[in-house]
Amino acid sequence: MLRARQWLYLALEVQKGGAWATFLNHFLMVLVVANVVAVVVESEHAIYEAYAPFFEWFEVCSVAIFTLEYVLRAWICVESEHIAFQHPMRGRIRYLLSPMALVDLVAVLPFYLSLFFGLVDLRVLRSLRLLRLLKLTRYSHSLALLLAVLRQEADNLISALFILCMLVLLSATGIYLVEGHIQPDKFGSIPRALWWSAVTVATVGYGDVVPVTLVGKVFSGTIIITGIAIAALPAAILASGMINELKRRRESFRFELVRAMENGKLDFGGLRYLEKMRVKIGISRADARLVFEEVKQETRLQTYTNCPHCAQPLVIKHPPGHIHVRPAKR
Amino acid sequence: MLRARQWLYLALEVQKGGAWATFLNHFLMVLVVANVVAVVVESEHAIYEAYAPFFEWFEVCSVAIFTLEYVLRAWICVESEHIAFQHPMRGRIRYLLSPMALVDLVAVLPFYLSLFFGLVDLRVLRSLRLLRLLKLTRYSHSLALLLAVLRQEADNLISALFILCMLVLLSATGIYLVEGHIQPDKFGSIPRALWWSAVTVATVGYGDVVPVTLVGKVFSGTIIITGIAIAALPAAILASGMINELKRRRESFRFELVRAMENGKLDFGGLRYLEKMRVKIGISRADARLVFEEVKQETRLQTYTNCPHCAQPLVIKHPPGHIHVRPAKR
Amino acid sequence: MLRARQWLYLALEVQKGGAWATFLNHFLMVLVVANVVAVVVESEHAIYEAYAPFFEWFEVCSVAIFTLEYVLRAWICVESEHIAFQHPMRGRIRYLLSPMALVDLVAVLPFYLSLFFGLVDLRVLRSLRLLRLLKLTRYSHSLALLLAVLRQEADNLISALFILCMLVLLSATGIYLVEGHIQPDKFGSIPRALWWSAVTVATVGYGDVVPVTLVGKVFSGTIIITGIAIAALPAAILASGMINELKRRRESFRFELVRAMENGKLDFGGLRYLEKMRVKIGISRADARLVFEEVKQETRLQTYTNCPHCAQPLVIKHPPGHIHVRPAKR
Amino acid sequence: MLRARQWLYLALEVQKGGAWATFLNHFLMVLVVANVVAVVVESEHAIYEAYAPFFEWFEVCSVAIFTLEYVLRAWICVESEHIAFQHPMRGRIRYLLSPMALVDLVAVLPFYLSLFFGLVDLRVLRSLRLLRLLKLTRYSHSLALLLAVLRQEADNLISALFILCMLVLLSATGIYLVEGHIQPDKFGSIPRALWWSAVTVATVGYGDVVPVTLVGKVFSGTIIITGIAIAALPAAILASGMINELKRRRESFRFELVRAMENGKLDFGGLRYLEKMRVKIGISRADARLVFEEVKQETRLQTYTNCPHCAQPLVIKHPPGHIHVRPAKR
């Protein structure tokens, strides 16, 4: 029983444990994708009509499997390394409140809700199943990286979007003042003008609403050009966020590496451990190699540092980039 | 009286001072947002007709409150830490000329102007109230960061937009030469062609004006592709500006940290102070932690050093990345 | 015979070897471009009709030449410096499986396939010749750099596109729920709505499908604004990838430089070698000069050091940023 | 005579020399702008008709002035600090072949050409005057920075645009294969399809040409999404180029600073010199301050480095980040 739980934990959470574990995870991924496809396809009314029973049956099965998965994950979470999750009672509750668990819950909840009080709009309900896509985030490292960056930079991004909204609002007001009386149905009020300004500032430009007067064109021309600068803010924020995040990860990998080389040399176990850290920290092989090169360069020095005249060791112990000199005991 | 002024200063400018202060600030923020919503909504003529008295009343109230706020801020500014603002007379004048104070002024001035000589167009006047949005910039750190970056890079951004305008101008000229005689109403002169080229270079592409001849299409095709490279300049400028700004802030936080650790260890007060600095300088917790890690690494060395001449232990105290030598207590 | 093979290897793979080699490479490049032009032009039916025999003849010649090139490259690959390719049998097989060789194969294969079983659609077949463009990648360093970055960041880019697709899917679902009943032909089902949402999120905005209801416009307005942030992810990923890649290259050039200066000074041969490395590593002259400056600065120190125990001069020899100590010759 | 030449050189090239020099430069800038405005305005036929004589007169005057400027600059160039330009004969020729001089030439040449053989199309001729805009690049530092970055990254940008063109070509071929028979007039051949694919990949999306079949929409949907990633390349290239360029400039400013502080302290003259360097190198005040801070931190150490037990100097001489220890003479 316990061994089963352990195996399941490794299989589901660490995605280790041989062919069966791999199969299990792939099966779950395929199932999620299949669900999404089903949602998309069955929204086409004719198709749904034709295969309604199949879709119902598929939905029931998936919900059953996802529920089972949800329960199992709640059962095995106590195997986690995190002390927080190890307590049979409190640990499980903590797990159930963790983001991934909530995602799993959201993936099945709507179905049960609709069972108990079926007065939800079916189409809305079905569409909610798209949220099952979120379950995939568990399986990709780079996806996790991007989401980490997005979370890191959330404040800045929101501020950038706030600035964008201010620009949209101001340009809507401007066009409303300039062309409100010419195209009253499109620019007759700020709320109506907002549609045009949002579409324009975001450089989507459907062309269903376009200024016609000279003044209007000059005004929106300036808005368009300046809009380029403002619309570039998110890219800038994400770029700097990405770079910082990777830098931070390289640094923490460097710390791991330095610690692992304390004794000057790396045995096979140490390398295995480092590789695991690399994947867990999530930096590319190339970067890891670069860090490794540098640290090796530094530590290689320790062996050369005897004074050849009095042959006394000049032990160098330093974090990258720093140095100091200690004479040997006399 | 003085205590009240002090409390008000902390509440309004530092946003400290318990529940009432928080309430006060939130109330002001909500009021600003409500004003903006009002401006947007009442621009819809029908709605304005229906609730004109309410809108008038709301406007009067808000102006009253904002005026009061303006006066109060002018009254309390002498409590500031900046020596520049502490003089009762000159300090207040200096404050009134500071950007934030001018924003507050702009938020109420139009109303009074319209009272004295009411010949301003009402719609323009009302729209001006949107500028009250600027009052919100006082409350967000990341917004301040973005504005700082935009100010930093203003020159480069203007140059980039200048280059963009040159491209717009040249492409307008080109299309005017190529298709001027085919679509005289749209490309018949450079000014007319400018509308198309601005919309195209900014990749908005309404589609209300489109080249039709083969030559025209080839020409604007090349413009479109090269335009991508030019339109990418602002993003590049802002990205590098963002990265530099954050680097600068990390550095100055590092200086703070090193100074705070002069005596080798950090007490609780020091940590509180550092946290305050972190928020004030405006870098993320993750970055702060990284800087902290590094500085700790460096200072960890202090115990290992000896003077090379008399082999007595030395204590290293150094700014990040550098080293100098001081004797240990005997 | 062997000398010919050697010359051919230098000419074709290293692009060295005097006027004839240059001519050979330029001829091949021109031929590729001519082929692409031919594909594009002859797709215009009228033109193809007029000059069919010429196009056929040109195609046959080019295929002949490319085949010859393919065979020759397979013949000469054993001259390579890479030990992997030097074995007459295994080496050649390895080469034939290398990306560049496969590109060369793809450039000619379709022709032969169509000869043997001619039941391929001619238009598809002809279009496949466009892939010959890939042969050009062999001749540009910066192109190789960009492709390296794209490969490096492939995972992150795919994740970013995955996030984009999720946004597209969700917005399609949203618009389908909101306006499905108003424009059933356009938003009547998620698959149909997908077209609109893809065009919108990518800010292409053809304008052939546009929301008309207020709710629809509000919804897609929010999607458009938030879309800007998500659509900025690839730019951020590529920017950070580019910066890291260049940093890595500068580092490895620095290693080369330090190694070349082991003996403290650089002779002419060393400089020639470094220049070759610079081009091969692919960093700009300006960067190389900067690295050179720094390393020189560091090595300038070598004259100043003494052993702290016996005060005899030491020579510092260190990898960039680090230091270790070796006695001067007596 | 010589003094006049010297004054003119300072005024025109260094933009130094009191009110008259400033006036001179501003006058030239205004004149350039006025010329551009004239070109734009007179392209409106009606306006040109009305004021033809004025426009002619204005054109003649400007050409006269620009010619005078051109001659003067050629006359005074020998005052330059660059040894290359100081030789009365060869120096002047060298100057005349420098980019800025060629720009000045291009600004006036068309006029004279049209005089001698007047068979140039007048409209084309007039439009060429827009190139006088380039004369403005002489007056802005940040503009020079951007152009430097663009030049630096020219190769990479061209490669990026090449990749973009490949994508455009492939998508054009794809849509031609998929919808060629449905919309023969728009997708009937690759050349025709190119217009759509260029407009689409660049996310301009006029909407004058849109795929209609399901397959076509699926295909162009994938092109659009992947197009985002490719179209992000220029932004990435420019961002990394910008960052590197600024880093290089900071470094060279740092070298200047270290050299200026060799003797440990900075006198007023040194600061003036550094400020001049800062402007010339073109880095922001904030960056300069940061570099200054760091270097000060480093050099401040030199005073502390006596061993307090044997009171012997431990002279630290290092480029930023490096250190070594030398015992005092015994």
Side-chain angles (χ1 to χ4, degrees), chain C residues 23-38:
Chain C
F23 169 77
L24 192 54
N25 287 308
H26 283 68
F27 171 76
L28 286 172
M29 286 155 92
V30 172
L31 190 61
V32 170
V33 175
N35 266 269
V36 172
V37 173

Side-chain angles (χ1 to χ4, degrees), chain A residues 36 39-41 43-45 123-124 127 130-131 133-134 136 140 142-143 145-147 150 157 161 164-165 168 195 198-199 201-206 208 231 234-235 238-239 242-243 246 250 284 286-287 290 293-294 297-298 300-301 304-310 312-314 316 318 320-323 325 327-328 330, chain C residues 152-153 155-156 159-160 162-163 166 169-170 173 176-178 180-181 188-192 194 196 199-200 203-207 209-211 216-218 220-221 224-226 228-230 232-233 235-237 239-240 243-244 247-248 251 255 307-310 312-314 317 319 321-328 330:
Chain A
V36 171
V39 174
V40 172
V41 170
S43 74
E44 191 67 60
H45 196 66
R123 294 188 319 148
V124 177
S127 314
L130 279 180
L131 297 176
L133 262 176
L134 296 173
L136 291 182
S140 159
S142 58
L143 199 55
L145 167 65
L146 293 190
L147 295 177
L150 284 171
L157 283 176
L161 294 184
L164 261 171
C165 293
V168 170
W195 171 244
V199 167
V201 170
T203 74
V204 173
Y206 287 124
D208 56 342
L238 288 174
M242 193 89 186
I243 290 163
L246 290 175
R250 266 198 302 272
S284 77
D287 287 347
L290 186 60
E293 270 298 321
E294 289 172 6
Q297 287 274 21
E298 291 150 21
R300 182 166 59 66
L301 300 179
Y304 294 153
T305 52
N306 289 30
C307 164
H309 311 292
C310 48
Q312 302 191 53
L314 306 161
I316 302 179
H318 50 72
H322 304 293
I323 180 172
V325 180
R330 294 246 177 93
Chain C
Q152 272 287 338
E153 298 296 321
D155 288 5
N156 292 334
S159 306
F162 175 77
I163 295 181
M166 273 180 67
L169 198 50
L170 293 178
T173 314
Y176 149 74
L177 293 176
V178 171
H181 49 286
S189 73
I190 297 180
R192 293 179 211 171
L194 274 172
W196 167 83
V199 168
T200 299
T203 74
V204 173
Y206 288 124
V209 193
V210 176
K217 286 181 173 180
V218 170
S220 49
I224 285 170
I225 298 295
T226 52
I228 293 176
I230 305 299
L233 269 174
I237 293 168
S240 99
I243 290 163
N244 281 332
K247 189 156 138 272
R248 258 182 251 115
E251 281 306 319
F255 288 144
C307 162
H309 306 290
C310 47
Q312 301 190 52
L314 305 168
K317 204 178 263 148
H322 308 296
I323 184 168
H324 70 83
V325 180
R326 184 156 70 55
R330 288 247 184 93

Side-chain angles (χ1 to χ4, degrees), chain D residues 300-319:
Chain D
R300 184 164 58 66
L301 300 180
Q302 301 195 350
T303 56
Y304 295 153
T305 50
N306 290 30
C307 165
H309 310 292
C310 47
Q312 302 191 52
L314 305 162
V315 180
I316 303 179
K317 263 227 200 71
H318 51 71

Side-chain angles (χ1 to χ4, degrees), chain B residues 92-127:
Chain B
R92 289 214 164 84
I93 291 169
R94 272 214 207 73
Y95 169 79
L96 290 182
L97 299 177
S98 69
M100 285 321 291
L102 292 177
V103 166
D104 291 343
L105 184 60
V106 168
V108 293
L109 206 55
F111 179 83
Y112 294 112
L113 288 183
S114 66
L115 279 194
F116 299 149
F117 16 75
L119 27 85
V120 194
D121 174 4
L122 258 185
R123 295 185 322 145
V124 177
L125 172 72
R126 289 213 206 90
S127 314

Side-chain angles (χ1 to χ4, degrees), chain C residues 124-150:
Chain C
V124 178
L125 173 72
R126 291 214 205 89
S127 315
L128 277 176
R129 279 183 277 151
L130 279 181
L131 297 176
R132 291 173 188 171
L133 261 176
L134 296 174
K135 290 166 77 77
L136 291 182
T137 58
R138 176 182 278 119
Y139 298 104
S140 159
H141 279 295
S142 58
L143 200 55
L145 167 65
L146 293 190
L147 295 177
V149 172
L150 284 172

Side-chain angles (χ1 to χ4, degrees), chain A residues 168-179:
Chain A
V168 170
L169 198 50
L170 293 178
S171 57
T173 314
I175 204 73
Y176 150 73
L177 292 176
V178 171
E179 287 212 349

